[in-house]
Amino acid sequence: MNKPIGYWTKRLDAALEAHLDSTLARLKLSRRQWQTLNVLAETPLGPEDLDGILSPFWGGDTRRRESELAALVGRGMIIMVDDRISLSELGHAKHEEAQRLVEDSRRDLSMGIGIDEYAMAVSVLERMTLNAERLAG
């Protein structure tokens, strides 16, 4: 029986969450902490900008967001500089270490999938998401 795309996207998201949490657990990081470090590795951001970028990952769960950010602050990986959230020296080092694990993981996850296939899948999912968001109002 063929399953609809919603079934596969939810199942993929759950599998990615479990796999990446397991992978990142070696560094005592969650997937959402990794995503935060990864965004901040590019540039320091104001809290609202960081929330805007990461909101799809938080899913409206403000308690989880606060808990994950507090853990990064408590471990000395993110700091506030001039009203912007930034990676500390430790945060940059942890990001580089996690980046290597995530790249290895992505390579394993996309085994047997060509570059063109991957690009097409991402393009289709992006367009469907934008359509669904537009239709939702």
Side-chain angles (χ1 to χ4, degrees):
M1 181 176 205
N2 289 334
K3 304 280 191 228
I5 197 162
Y7 170 86
W8 290 112
T9 55
K10 286 190 177 287
R11 190 166 160 191
L12 176 60
D13 184 59
L16 286 173
E17 185 90 22
H19 175 69
L20 287 174
D21 273 344
S22 172
T23 298
L24 294 166
R26 294 181 231 168
L27 303 178
K28 296 187 170 110
L29 290 172
S30 71
R31 179 182 180 194
R32 283 165 181 80
Q33 290 170 347
W34 152 250
Q35 288 158 334
T36 302
L37 294 178
N38 198 44
V39 167
L40 293 173
E42 292 179 28
T43 186
L45 294 169
E48 299 81 24
D49 294 328
L50 183 62
D51 277 350
I53 292 168
L54 293 175
S55 65
F57 301 106
W58 301 122
D61 188 343
T62 56
R63 273 192 243 157
R64 184 169 194 178
R65 180 192 71 211
E66 290 170 7
S67 172
E68 298 282 16
L69 291 175
L72 292 172
V73 170
R75 293 175 61 194
M77 288 188 240
I78 61 174
I79 54 176
M80 287 293 285
V81 177
D82 298 328
D83 297 325
R84 295 170 113 22
I85 303 170
S86 180
L87 292 185
S88 66
E89 194 172 309
L90 175 62
H92 280 289
K94 189 64 77 169
H95 172 260
E96 287 178 20
E97 197 175 358
Q99 179 72 31
R100 285 189 293 278
L101 289 177
V102 169
E103 286 173 3
D104 290 345
S105 175
R106 285 180 182 155
R107 190 172 40 256
D108 292 343
L109 287 167
S110 61
M111 192 178 312
I113 300 169
I115 294 170
D116 291 342
E117 289 176 295
Y118 182 86
M120 178 66 77
V122 170
S123 175
V124 168
L125 288 172
E126 178 184 17
R127 284 180 278 150
M128 287 185 76
T129 300
L130 294 173
N131 288 341
E133 289 172 348
R134 179 181 46 79
L135 293 169

